[in-house]
Amino acid sequence: MADTEGLDNKSPLYFITGFPTDCEKLLSAFEATGSVRYENFSSIWREMKFSRVYCGRESQRELSMFTCEALRFALKMWLPPYKFQTRVGALYLIYGMYFSQPLEPKEKVSETFQFATTSIISLVCHLTYSLELTRSVSRFSLF
């Protein structure tokens, strides 16, 4: 992932030191579930107390810069070459981070990304529904 060692406090990655490692742990645990369900992701998020990632910022400005850079980093994990399940987890990560950020007004996610997330959420819902439907039908199959 991102190498944040030796960065000075002027580097954008300075504000997210440790965050890439936390993301990897969260997404690895999500991958281990073998699922793309939000409830599984949410359970891991709560176990890791991931919403506390915003704690300890010294000022509103630092909190804002951290949030912006963290969302940007999470967005990179949503893009290829990551596996589909990791990308879905990254989407959930962005969703969770956006709605748990303590800023008012909230840091924005780009419009292009918002369009793409709406599309992929629809795709995930469709795939999950199709998979459950296939499993249900196969249980009652006579052949």
Side-chain angles (χ1 to χ4, degrees):
M1 274 293 152
D3 181 17
T4 55
E5 270 188 51
L7 294 173
D8 62 19
N9 61 2
K10 294 178 182 150
S11 168
L13 290 179
Y14 165 78
F15 291 102
I16 62 169
T17 300
F19 182 75
T21 304
D22 293 339
C23 287
E24 287 176 350
K25 288 178 185 174
L26 175 69
L27 294 176
S28 291
F30 180 62
E31 271 188 51
T33 67
S35 170
V36 292
R37 292 176 156 269
Y38 182 75
E39 63 191 24
N40 294 337
F41 177 86
S42 174
S43 174
I44 297 164
W45 171 286
R46 286 189 306 275
E47 285 173 22
M48 290 182 67
K49 298 178 173 102
F50 211 82
S51 59
R52 291 187 181 175
V53 75
Y54 294 106
C55 295
R57 307 296 159 197
E58 293 181 12
S59 66
Q60 228 17 47
R61 182 176 178 272
E62 183 180 350
L63 179 62
S64 179
M65 291 177 79
F66 167 80
T67 303
C68 185
E69 292 304 318
L71 285 169
R72 196 171 290 149
F73 178 82
L75 176 58
K76 289 178 186 175
M77 296 188 77
W78 178 74
L79 300 170
Y82 295 99
K83 294 185 236 174
F84 178 73
Q85 189 178 4
T86 303
R87 294 174 68 194
V88 171
L91 175 67
Y92 295 152
L93 173 64
I94 293 165
Y95 174 85
M97 289 193 61
Y98 179 81
F99 285 103
S100 67
Q101 65 178 286
L103 295 169
E104 283 300 328
K106 294 191 178 306
E107 286 293 329
K108 301 285 186 207
V109 180
S110 74
E111 288 180 27
T112 304
F113 178 72
Q114 287 175 347
F115 173 75
T117 48
T118 303
S119 301
I120 200 162
I121 286 172
S122 298
L123 175 63
V124 169
C125 290
H126 175 72
L127 290 173
T128 302
Y129 176 76
S130 297
L131 181 60
E132 288 176 358
L133 186 60
T134 302
R135 286 180 183 161
S136 297
V137 169
S138 67
R139 276 189 269 156
F140 298 108
S141 179
L142 298 174
F143 303 102

